[in-house]
C-alpha cells in the first residue's frame, strides 16, 4: 500500500537521527559550589519548597557564593511577599547572574513601582542583565519603562534588542510603534527581525476599535500600515517571519492581501501554511483556499488546522465537515472534524450523535457529547445514557454538562458523576454546580442544590494526586455565586486540608469574599523534607544530564529525540522528571494533545488532563526563553506541577516566566518531535549523564 507523502516523511523522520538547533541558549553553569555553599543553596531550595521565607533564605541574600545569592533572590519572588526593597538592592550586586535574577524577580511582581529601579540598570555592563531588565519592564510598565526600553532598542547585543522589541510593542501605543517596528524588520539580527515582525503581526491582526495591551484603541489606519509593511515581507527567506506575515494578514480584505494569502497557502514550510489557515478562520471567508489545503495538503498538522478553521467559517463549511466526519480515518482529525461541526452547525452534529457515540475513538465520542448539551429528545436521552456509562473518563466527563442541563435537582442528576472513580468526571460535576451558582436569577433552592453537589464532590475526593485538583475545582466553583449560604463555612473547613495548595486557595477565596477578612494564621509549610534531600538533589544536578525519548506509531519504525535537562536553572523539576522517567512512569503513555504551531503535550497516563503522580511540586519560574523545542512542565495552578510536560513547536516568548522550562530538544526536533500526533506513544524516556550531543545508540528492537 502506498503511503501519503506526509506519512512517509514521518516514517523517515522516526527512523533517522539528526541534529537541530532549537535556538535556545546554553545554560551558563556557575562555578562548582563548595560544601558550605552547597548546603546554603540547599537551604534556599528547602525554604522555597516549604513556601516560607525563613532565616536561612534571608541570610542567603548576603552569602559569599553568587550562586546562593541568585537562587535566594529567585526564591523570594517565587514564594511571594513584600520584598521589593531586597530585590531592588540585589540589582546592585557585584555578580551579573544575581542582578539578572533580581530584574526577573521584580518583573514577576508586575509592580509599576519597580520600573524606576529596573530602568536604572538599562546600562548594566552585562547583557544578561539588560535582557532581563527589558523583559521585566514589559511586565511592570510604569512611567520610566518606555524611556529605558527606547535605550535598549539600540543595545549592542541582539538578544537584548530582541527582548526590548517585545517590550516596546507591549508598552508603546500602536500609532507610535508601527514605524519603529517596521524599521527593525530591516537587515539585521534574525532574532530582532522576528520580534519586530511579531509585533507588527499583533497590530495587523487586531480588530479595529479594540484596545491593545497599552489601553490605546487600534484604528484602521494604524492596522493598515502594519499590514502594508507585512506584505513587503511576503518572500522573506526566514520562515518564522513569513509565519508572522500570515498571522498579521488575518481576514485578508484587499486584493493584495488575498493574493498574499494564496501564496502563503503553498509555502514550503508547514508552519506558514498553518498560520495562514488560522488567518482565514472567519465566517464565509476564502473557503476555496481552505478546501484546497484540506484536499491537497497531506500534512496532518495542516489538515487539523484547516478543520479547526472551518468551524468559524460556519454554514458553508458544513458539507465538507460532514464528509470528513464520515470518511476521515485518522482519529485525531476525525475528532477535530466533529468538534468543528458542533460549532458550525450544532443541529447536524446532534443528529449524528447516535452513530458517533459508537465511534472507536474516545476523543470522537467525547466531542460528540458536546453536541448533546441542551438537546432533549428520546434519541438524545438514549445517547446521553450510553455516553454516561462509557469506559473512558474523557467521555464521561464530557457528557456531564448535557446531564446537568436537564430538569430537576442537579445534585440528584449528577449523583453518578459524583460517585465516578475518575477525578476528571467529578471535576466536571463541580463545574456544573459552579455554573448554577453563577446564574444571576438563581433562587435559594438552586443555590442550595448546587452547594449540596459541591459538598458531595468534596467528600468523595479525599486524598492526594489528582484528587487535589478536584478539591481545588470545588473551591473555585463555590465562590462563583458570591456570598451564598454555606460557602464561607465550606472555605473555612478547607483551611485544614492536608494539601498546602488547597489550604492556600481556600485562604485566597476567603480573602476575596466581602464582609470579613480571611482566617487568621498561615497555610503552613507545603512540605517539610530534611536538608540532606536538597543537598543530594543539588549534587545530582551538578552533573550535566540528558535523556533519549523514544516514540512510536503503529506501523512505523520508532523514532527518538534527545533532550538536554536544564539542571542549573530548574534542578527540582529536572530531578523530578528524571525520577519519574527512571521509574517507567512515562513508558507507554499516549500523547494526548497536539496543537499545531504551539505545543505537543504528554505525561498524562489518564489522557484526560488529570493524570498525575502521587505528589505535587512547585514551579521554578525563571527568565529562560521559549524557542521551538523548549520542554516545560504544565502547572494546574500555583505550585501544582505534576508529571505532564509539553514541547513548544514554534517560538513562544509569551510563555517566559509563566511555565518552568526544564529541558531543550537538541536532536530530532524537526525529524521526530514536529511530526508527532495524538495517539503516538512514548516507548521510553532514558536519562543519562551527558549534554545531549552524544550520538544516539542503536535502536533496540
Amino acid at each position: 500500500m502506498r503511503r501519503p507523502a506526509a506519512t512517509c516523511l514521518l516514517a523517515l523522520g522516526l527512523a533517522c537521527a539528526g541534529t537541530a538547533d532549537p535556538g535556545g541558549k546554553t545554560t551558563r553553569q556557575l562555578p562548582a559550589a563548595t560544601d558550605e555553599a552547597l548546603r546554603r543553596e540547599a537551604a534556599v531550595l528547602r525554604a522555597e519548597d516549604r513556601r516560607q521565607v525563613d532565616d536561612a533564605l534571608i541570610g542567603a541574600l548576603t552569602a559569599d557564593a553568587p550562586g546562593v545569592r541568585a537562587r535566594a533572590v529567585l526564591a523570594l519572588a517565587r514564594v511571594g511577599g513584600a520584598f521589593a526593597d531586597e530585590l531592588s538592592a540585589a540589582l546592585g550586586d557585584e555578580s551579573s547572574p544575581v542582578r539578572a535574577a533580581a530584574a526577573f524577580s521584580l518583573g514577576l511582581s508586575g509592580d509599576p513601582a519597580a520600573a524606576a529601579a529596573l530602568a536604572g540598570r538599562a546600562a548594566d555592563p552585562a547583557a544578561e542583565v539588560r535582557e532581563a531588565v527589558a523583559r521585566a519592564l514589559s511586565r511592570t510598565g510604569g512611567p520610566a519603562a518606555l524611556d529605558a526600553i527606547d535605550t535598549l532598542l539600540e543595545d549592542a547585543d541582539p538578544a537584548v534588542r530582541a527582548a526590548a522589541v517585545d517590550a516596546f510593542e507591549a508598552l508603546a501605543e500602536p500609532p507610535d510603534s508601527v514605524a519603529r517596528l517596521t524599521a527593525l524588520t530591516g537587515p539585521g539580527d534574525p532574532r530582532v527581525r522576528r520580534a519586530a515582525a511579531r509585533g507588527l503581526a499583533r497590530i495587523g491582526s487586531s480588530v479595529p476599535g479594540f484596545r491593545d495591551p497599552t489601553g490605546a484603541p487600534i484604528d484602521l489606519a494604524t492596522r493598515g500600515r502594519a499590514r502594508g509593511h507585512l506584505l513587503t515581507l511576503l518572500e522573506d527567506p526566514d520562515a518564522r517571519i513569513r509565519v508572522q506575515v500570515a498571522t498579521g494578514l488575518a481576514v485578508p480584505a484587499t486584493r493584495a492581501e488575498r493574493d498574499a494569502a494564496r501564496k502563503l497557502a503553498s509555502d514550503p514550510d508547514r508552519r506558514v501554511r498553518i498560520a495562514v489557515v488560522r488567518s482565514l478562520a472567519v465566517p464565509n471567508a476564502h473557503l476555496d483556499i481552505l478546501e484546497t489545503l484540506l484536499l491537497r495538503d497531506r500534512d496532518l498538522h495542516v489538515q487539523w488546522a484547516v478543520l479547526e478553521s472551518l468551524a468559524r467559517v460556519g454554514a458553508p463549511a458544513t458539507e465538507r465537515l460532514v464528509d470528513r466526519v464520515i470518511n476521515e480515518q485518522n482519529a485525531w482529525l476525525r475528532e477535530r472534524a466533529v468538534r468543528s461541526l458542533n460549532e458550525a452547525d450544532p443541529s447536524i452534529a446532534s443528529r449524528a450523535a447516535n452513530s458517533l457515540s459508537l465511534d472507536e475513538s474516545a476523543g470522537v465520542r467525547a466531542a460528540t457529547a458536546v453536541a448533546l448539551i441542551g438537546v432533549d429528545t428520546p434519541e438524545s436521552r438514549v445517547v446521553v445514557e450510553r455516553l454516561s456509562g462509557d469506559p473512558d473518563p474523557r467521555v464521561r466527563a464530557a457528557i456531564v454538562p448535557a446531564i446537568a442541563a436537564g430538569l430537576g435537582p442537579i445534585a440528584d442528576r449528577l449523583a453518578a458523576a459524583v460517585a465516578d472513580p475518575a477525578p476528571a468526571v467529578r471535576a466536571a460535576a463541580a463545574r456544573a454546580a459552579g455554573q448554577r451558582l453563577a446564574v444571576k436569577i438563581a433562587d435559594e433552592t438552586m443555590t442550595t442544590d448546587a452547594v449540596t453537589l459541591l459538598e458531595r464532590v468534596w467528600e468523595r475526593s479525599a486524598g492526594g494526586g489528582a484528587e487535589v485538583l478536584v478539591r481545588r475545582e470545588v473551591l473555585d466553583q463555590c465562590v462563583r455565586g458570591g456570598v451564598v449560604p454555606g460557602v464561607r463555612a465550606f472555605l473555612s473547613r478547607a483551611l485544614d486540608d492536608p494539601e498546602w495548595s488547597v489550604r492556600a486557595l481556600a485562604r485566597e477565596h476567603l480573602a476575596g469574599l466581602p464582609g470579613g477578612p480571611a482566617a487568621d494564621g498561615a497555610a503552613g509549610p507545603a512540605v517539610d523534607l530534611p536538608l540532606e534531600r536538597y543537598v543530594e538533589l543539588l549534587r545530582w544536578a551538578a552533573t550535566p544530564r540528558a535523556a533519549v525519548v523514544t516514540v512510536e506509531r503503529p506501523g512505523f519504525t520508532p523514532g527518538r529525540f534527545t533532550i538536554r535537562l536544564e539542571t542549573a536553572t530548574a534542578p527540582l523539576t529536572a530531578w523530578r522528571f528524571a525520577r519519574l522517567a527512571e521509574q517507567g512512569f512515562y513508558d507507554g503513555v499516549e500523547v494526548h494533545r497536539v496543537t499545531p504551531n504551539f505545543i505537543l503535550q504528554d505525561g498524562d497516563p489518564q489522557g484526560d488532563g488529570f493524570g498525575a503522580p502521587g505528589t505535587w511540586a512547585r514551579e521554578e519560574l525563571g527568565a529562560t526563553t521559549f524557542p521551538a523545542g523548549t520542554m516545560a512542565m504544565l502547572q494546574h495552578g500555583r505550585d501544582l506541577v505534576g508529571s505532564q510536560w509539553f514541547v513548544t513547536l514554534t517560538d513562544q516568548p509569551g510563555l517566559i516566566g509563566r511555565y518552568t522550562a526544564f529541558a531543550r530538544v537538541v536532536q530530532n526536533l524537526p525529524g521526530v518531535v514536529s511530526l508527532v500526533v495524538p495517539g503516538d506513544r512514548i516507548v521510553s524516556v532514558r536519562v543519562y549523564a551527558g549534554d545531549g550531543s552524544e550520538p544516539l545508540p542503536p535502536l533496540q528492537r
Side-chain angles (χ1 to χ4, degrees):
M1 180 181 294
R2 186 169 179 266
R3 292 174 176 171
T7 315
C8 290
L9 178 61
L10 175 64
L12 180 62
L14 292 178
C16 301
T19 301
D21 176 15
K25 297 179 178 177
T26 300
T27 302
R28 193 163 74 87
Q29 297 282 349
L30 293 171
T34 63
D35 283 346
E36 180 186 357
L38 189 67
R39 295 187 70 81
R40 296 199 71 173
E41 194 170 348
V44 171
L45 285 181
R46 183 173 184 268
E48 189 177 347
D49 239 15
R50 287 166 57 89
R51 282 79 155 183
Q52 293 184 339
V53 177
D54 57 16
D55 292 342
L57 176 50
I58 294 298
L61 291 170
T62 55
D64 291 337
V68 176
R69 299 198 303 276
R71 205 173 291 285
V73 165
L74 285 172
L76 275 185
R78 291 168 178 171
V79 173
F83 296 103
D85 290 344
E86 288 84 351
L87 296 177
S88 296
L91 283 173
D93 195 277
E94 64 182 16
S95 167
S96 60
V98 179
R99 299 197 301 276
F104 169 80
S105 297
L106 285 168
L108 204 61
S109 71
D111 184 359
L118 287 165
R121 302 308 306 184
D124 193 281
E128 65 177 317
V129 177
R130 301 195 302 276
E131 181 180 355
V133 165
R135 298 201 184 281
L137 287 171
S138 71
R139 289 173 174 260
T140 64
L146 200 53
D147 288 343
I149 291 298
D150 200 57
T151 299
L152 292 170
L153 285 172
E154 306 297 332
D155 198 274
D157 189 281
V160 177
R161 294 201 306 277
V165 172
D166 283 334
F168 177 76
E169 194 274 324
L171 297 173
E173 294 188 359
D176 300 326
S177 61
V178 169
R180 192 71 176 270
L181 293 172
T182 295
L184 290 167
T185 60
D189 187 88
R191 289 168 290 184
V192 177
R193 299 185 67 242
R194 291 167 193 156
R198 189 162 54 243
L200 288 171
R202 280 196 285 266
I203 297 171
S205 61
S206 63
V207 178
F210 278 50
R211 295 182 178 273
D212 80 321
T214 69
I218 298 178
D219 58 76
L220 276 171
T222 299
R223 180 176 180 264
R225 287 196 297 274
R227 292 165 76 97
H229 183 65
L230 288 170
L231 284 172
T232 69
L233 303 174
L234 182 62
E235 298 188 28
D236 196 280
D238 189 333
R240 283 180 273 192
I241 288 182
R242 299 199 303 276
V243 166
Q244 300 307 327
V245 174
T247 300
L249 296 178
V251 197
T254 67
R255 179 185 295 274
E257 290 176 358
R258 288 192 291 270
D259 289 344
R262 288 188 172 86
K263 182 176 180 61
L264 292 166
S266 60
D267 195 278
D269 193 295
R270 70 100 93 81
R271 295 170 296 180
V272 180
R273 302 198 302 277
I274 291 170
V276 78
V277 160
R278 288 178 171 150
S279 289
L280 300 175
V282 292
N284 304 307
H286 307 291
L287 186 58
D288 58 327
I289 300 177
L290 293 175
E291 286 192 324
T292 298
L293 283 168
L294 188 63
L295 293 171
R296 297 181 183 176
D297 199 310
R298 305 319 303 163
D299 187 288
L300 297 180
H301 285 226
V302 174
Q303 289 195 30
W304 190 95
V306 172
L307 291 170
E308 178 191 43
S309 295
L310 288 176
R312 297 187 61 187
V313 171
T318 55
E319 182 178 349
R320 179 62 63 192
L321 288 170
V322 168
D323 175 71
R324 294 308 287 260
V325 168
I326 295 172
N327 297 310
E328 178 57 58
Q329 298 301 305
N330 181 280
W332 182 46
L333 298 182
R334 192 163 66 253
E335 176 188 345
R336 182 62 258 181
V338 173
R339 294 190 183 278
S340 293
L341 185 60
N342 286 342
E343 298 175 46
D345 195 329
S347 63
I348 294 179
S350 63
R351 292 198 298 273
N354 186 39
S355 60
L356 291 173
S357 67
L358 299 170
D359 195 277
E360 63 181 11
S361 165
V364 171
R365 300 196 302 276
T368 301
V370 178
L372 296 169
I373 300 174
V375 179
D376 187 16
T377 64
E379 183 182 57
S380 71
R381 288 193 288 272
V382 171
V383 179
V384 168
E385 181 69 22
R386 178 186 301 147
L387 294 177
S388 66
D390 195 277
D392 195 293
R394 289 171 292 181
V395 182
R396 300 197 302 277
I399 201 61
V400 164
I403 300 172
L407 299 175
I410 191 173
D412 294 340
R413 294 184 64 82
L414 294 181
V418 172
D420 198 290
V425 181
R426 280 176 271 122
R431 286 191 293 273
Q435 289 172 357
R436 285 288 178 95
L437 289 174
V439 175
K440 300 302 181 184
I441 59 172
D443 57 21
E444 185 176 347
T445 300
M446 289 178 62
T447 297
T448 301
D449 180 34
V451 173
T452 297
L453 176 57
L454 289 170
E455 288 177 341
R456 291 176 181 175
V457 173
W458 178 275
E459 292 166 1
R460 178 68 176 79
S461 304
E467 300 296 347
V468 172
L469 302 182
V470 183
R471 298 201 298 282
R472 284 177 56 93
E473 187 71 68
V474 169
L475 296 182
D476 281 336
Q477 298 300 326
C478 78
V479 296
R480 291 188 63 182
V483 182
V484 298
V487 165
R488 194 180 299 278
F490 191 84
L491 290 171
S492 296
R493 183 175 59 180
L495 294 174
D496 294 324
D497 194 271
E499 176 64 34
W500 181 88
S501 68
V502 177
R503 300 194 301 272
L505 184 61
R507 289 180 56 79
E508 179 183 329
H509 284 323
L510 277 169
L513 289 178
D520 292 334
V527 294
D528 199 10
L529 301 176
L531 181 65
E532 292 305 320
R533 291 285 296 275
Y534 298 96
V535 173
E536 175 190 354
L537 187 157
L538 288 174
R539 291 193 191 282
W540 175 88
T543 299
R545 307 281 175 175
V548 175
V549 183
T550 303
V551 61
E552 69 176 356
R553 182 181 302 171
F556 297 93
T557 301
R560 296 170 298 171
F561 61 94
T562 304
I563 59 174
R564 181 187 67 239
L565 299 181
E566 301 285 7
T567 55
T569 56
L572 174 64
T573 308
W575 183 83
R576 274 177 57 88
F577 175 84
R579 294 287 82 78
L580 289 171
E582 290 167 358
Q583 294 162 14
F585 184 90
Y586 296 116
D587 296 358
V589 174
E590 185 176 294
V591 175
H592 69 282
R593 179 191 176 197
V594 173
T595 302
N597 271 18
F598 183 39
I599 63 169
L600 80 80
Q601 187 175 321
D602 201 353
D604 178 1
Q606 297 294 116
D608 58 7
F610 280 76
T615 59
W616 297 92
R618 59 178 169 81
E619 61 268 27
E620 292 179 286
L621 301 181
T624 309
T625 56
F626 276 75
T630 303
M631 199 168 185
M633 295 303 290
L634 184 72
Q635 57 200 57
H636 298 265
R638 182 172 180 243
D639 294 337
L640 275 175
V641 173
S643 58
Q644 296 184 46
W645 49 265
F646 64 86
V647 179
T648 57
L649 301 177
T650 55
D651 300 348
Q652 297 296 330
L655 301 183
I656 298 173
R658 293 176 54 197
Y659 294 92
T660 301
F662 71 96
R664 305 277 191 195
V665 178
V666 292
Q667 291 191 59
N668 274 354
L669 174 60
V672 174
V673 176
S674 295
L675 300 176
V676 168
V677 298
D680 295 349
R681 289 186 179 276
I682 300 298
V683 177
S684 63
V685 179
R686 298 295 176 253
V687 179
Y688 65 94
D691 65 6
S693 64
E694 299 80 7
L696 288 167
L699 187 63
Q700 299 296 317
R701 298 304 302 269

